[in-house]
Amino acid sequence: MEGASIVNGAQTVASVHEAYQQTPDVATRARIGVRIISLTDCPEGFDHDVTRTTNTQNRVEPQDFIALEKVQQQLRDDFLLRLRKTYVLRRGEEPPQSKEDGCTLREAATALACAHASPELSFQANVDIDLLWDPKQHHRLFPLHRTDAVKTWRTILVLREVERQIDVQRPQWEGRAGTLADLGRLLIAHVTFQCLPRGWQEISESDWPTVPACVAELVDAAVATLIHWIDTGYGPKSQVSSIFRNAERYSDVAGSALVTLQGDNQPPPLSSEYRASERERHARQANAVTVIFENNALEEGTLVEFRPVPGREQQQLTPWLTADARRARATWTRQRRNCLVWAVDGVAYSPTGLAQKMLVEAGYQSKPLQGTRRWFVPQRGSLVDIADRLRQEAEEEEE
């Protein structure tokens, strides 16, 4: 018998191996029932069907079955041969050593879902990426004979640049725009992909750098336009988070934004209410910290990151912050007044007090500022953003 594969029985094989290592004489007398299925004259894909049906009683995720698809095997080989990069298919396999060395099936599926013309796929990826492992959705993302490594890799690079730009520009978005950036990264990516120059996947290698170079402007326009249509369609007091729980709303907002961005008119500017520089004077640190404490919204030890406001402050502090990564990090502690423990010295400060201390240590004069607008919890926004959402939720419950 040649070319045999074990499709069910990994635990049994491991147990036999362990027993043989310990007592080989006993193990050689063991008897195990084996079922052999010949693939001679079987229809294409029969081996994959056998694997699926014989493993459903174990903890096998849908992604594991998708990894067996012919298109995924071909794509993995294409990544290696054409790009000299790793394409990791299965859970538990060692990921690429760095982002430049390759990607995973999950990252590729997410990027292709955002790039797809239908917003349905990025909505599903945002809700639960496992929804993309449905065979019908998988074939929409990875059509056989029309999927290749170069296009897939370029799609991944664009998504990475979108996410990088969201992180870079995030400090300038406040309130509902900030919530959109925190919760709707894939929606922003979907709109950005649709606004890229026609034929961007097939562009020559020499011209390729022009594609990621245009992402920053597109991301900024996408955020402004999306929040405009969320406010217009559902009201400025609606919950932004509801967009990501309702497929119809998600599609409507994406469609409206694309009509605006792809039309002849200029996209709407982001409301001054959602610009950090405009809302700075409205911030109240004590209120924000108090609201967070009263709602027990942050756990002890939560990582908090410092992000200077765009403009002069950002220009002044960025070199100083990058010189020592600890300078931009603190942890949340259950001390109402001094709630941030700075990673540099382990001392607890208030958000504003620590921000002012950092200005002085960077060589600049201290100034009146609102520290809670500069300290961010990754993926959740600034301390003020978190407090604003808590206030809004409380108001809606009272109504």
Side-chain angles (χ1 to χ4, degrees):
M1 184 168 57
E2 297 179 354
S5 297
I6 298 174
V7 298
N8 189 7
Q11 292 178 345
T12 302
V13 172
S15 298
V16 170
H17 174 73
E18 183 178 354
Y20 186 81
Q21 293 291 101
Q22 296 179 0
T23 54
D25 293 340
V26 175
T28 55
R29 297 196 298 271
R31 296 291 182 268
I32 299 175
V34 177
R35 179 176 59 175
I36 299 174
I37 301 175
S38 173
L39 299 181
T40 304
D41 298 327
C42 289
E44 184 176 359
F46 180 75
D47 53 340
H48 293 168
D49 292 338
V50 170
T51 300
R52 290 189 182 94
T53 56
T54 57
N55 278 283
T56 53
Q57 78 277 15
N58 297 323
R59 182 65 176 177
V60 181
E61 299 292 344
Q63 179 184 339
D64 300 322
F65 295 130
I66 292 301
L68 300 173
E69 294 284 343
K70 183 178 180 180
V71 65
Q72 295 297 339
Q73 305 293 326
Q74 291 177 341
L75 192 56
R76 180 188 59 189
D77 296 342
D78 202 21
F79 259 82
L80 183 60
L81 294 174
R82 296 177 64 185
L83 301 176
R84 295 294 187 268
K85 297 185 184 298
T86 303
Y87 182 58
V88 178
L89 290 175
R90 294 177 177 81
R91 297 175 303 124
E93 290 185 345
E94 185 176 351
Q97 292 185 350
S98 70
K99 286 191 171 184
E100 291 71 27
D101 292 329
C103 65
T104 65
L105 167 58
R106 294 175 72 88
E107 185 180 19
T110 302
L112 292 169
C114 293
H116 198 279
S118 171
E120 172 195 0
L121 293 171
S122 62
F123 173 80
Q124 291 182 339
N126 193 70
V127 172
D128 183 356
I129 192 173
D130 284 347
L131 295 173
L132 300 182
W133 308 141
D134 177 270
K136 291 182 180 179
Q137 303 296 50
H138 171 256
H139 293 147
R140 293 173 69 186
L141 294 176
F142 299 93
L144 190 61
H145 307 308
R146 287 193 291 126
T147 300
D148 68 70
V150 173
K151 291 181 180 179
T152 302
W153 180 243
R154 286 183 168 184
T155 304
I156 291 167
L157 292 179
V158 171
L159 178 61
R160 289 176 179 177
E161 180 60 17
V162 170
E163 293 183 324
R164 191 183 76 83
Q165 286 299 327
I166 291 175
D167 290 336
V168 169
Q169 299 183 45
R170 176 62 182 85
Q172 73 182 17
W173 298 321
E174 294 286 355
R176 292 163 64 78
T179 301
L180 171 64
D182 294 334
L183 302 180
R185 298 168 79 90
L186 300 190
L187 173 58
I188 297 169
H190 169 71
V191 171
T192 300
F193 269 110
Q194 311 315 308
C195 295
L196 289 173
R198 187 181 297 274
W200 62 271
Q201 285 182 316
E202 294 86 11
I203 198 170
S204 67
E205 194 66 31
S206 60
D207 292 333
W208 166 249
T210 62
V211 176
C214 71
V215 167
E217 183 178 351
L218 292 177
V219 165
D220 186 61
V223 169
T225 308
L226 284 166
I227 201 64
H228 166 79
W229 282 111
I230 292 173
D231 287 355
T232 300
Y234 303 101
K237 291 188 177 181
S238 62
Q239 281 193 311
V240 175
S241 59
S242 67
I243 299 297
F244 308 104
R245 299 192 297 266
N246 186 302
E248 183 177 354
R249 286 191 176 192
Y250 186 98
S251 296
D252 286 345
V253 169
S256 297
L258 287 173
V259 168
T260 300
L261 292 169
Q262 295 174 339
D264 297 329
N265 298 324
Q266 287 290 326
L270 185 64
S271 170
S272 60
E273 181 183 0
Y274 303 139
R275 288 287 183 189
S277 57
E278 297 293 334
R279 295 189 69 194
E280 178 76 28
R281 60 191 178 89
H282 298 296
R284 290 185 178 180
Q285 171 203 314
N287 284 350
V289 172
T290 298
V291 170
I292 293 173
F293 266 95
E294 290 178 348
N295 288 271
N296 197 26
L298 293 179
E299 295 182 359
E300 181 94 13
T302 297
L303 173 67
V304 187
E305 299 176 347
F306 182 84
R307 300 177 186 176
V309 296
R312 182 176 178 82
E313 181 179 301
Q314 189 176 57
Q315 294 174 351
Q316 291 175 335
L317 288 181
T318 297
W320 183 77
L321 291 171
T322 55
D324 184 347
R326 298 177 302 162
R327 292 170 175 169
R329 296 200 304 265
T331 53
W332 180 265
T333 184
R334 298 295 298 175
Q335 298 182 39
R336 188 180 291 266
R337 179 174 178 80
N338 298 323
C339 57
L340 297 182
V341 175
W342 197 21
V344 172
D345 58 14
V347 177
Y349 301 88
S350 68
T352 294
L354 180 51
Q356 291 173 330
K357 176 181 175 63
M358 293 164 69
L359 271 174
V360 173
E361 293 205 0
Y364 301 97
Q365 288 187 342
S366 179
K367 65 179 181 179
L369 53 79
Q370 299 297 335
T372 49
R373 292 206 170 276
R374 292 161 170 80
W375 289 101
F376 284 71
V377 177
Q379 308 300 321
R380 294 183 63 182
S382 70
L383 297 180
V384 168
D385 290 333
I386 294 171
D388 284 347
R389 286 198 291 272
L390 293 169
R391 291 191 190 98
Q392 183 178 353
E393 291 170 0
E395 291 173 359
E396 290 172 352
E397 290 178 0
E398 292 176 359
E399 295 176 358

